[in-house]
Amino acid sequence: MGDACAVCHARWPRPRRRLGASSEGGPLFGCEECAGFAADYASSTLHHALAAH
């Protein structure tokens, strides 16, 4: 829903960077720091990181 970062769960400032989509098809948003981290990895690695979190 974009209320918290999909990676670190920070709620403030509200995450604005779209990271991808959940398995249900909803958008996943991340904070600036986590979005930068996610951009450094392939989408398959990000999928594993989000599933493990």
Side-chain angles (χ1 to χ4, degrees):
M1 293 284 201
D3 292 333
C5 175
V7 179
C8 72
H9 304 288
R11 291 181 172 256
W12 187 259
R14 188 176 175 135
R16 296 176 188 234
R17 301 275 309 267
R18 188 177 175 119
L19 299 178
S22 70
S23 58
E24 292 86 26
L28 293 175
F29 292 94
C31 63
E32 289 297 318
E33 184 176 355
C34 291
F37 165 76
D40 292 339
Y41 293 92
S43 63
S44 63
T45 303
L46 176 60
H47 175 73
H48 291 293
L50 292 175
H53 196 281

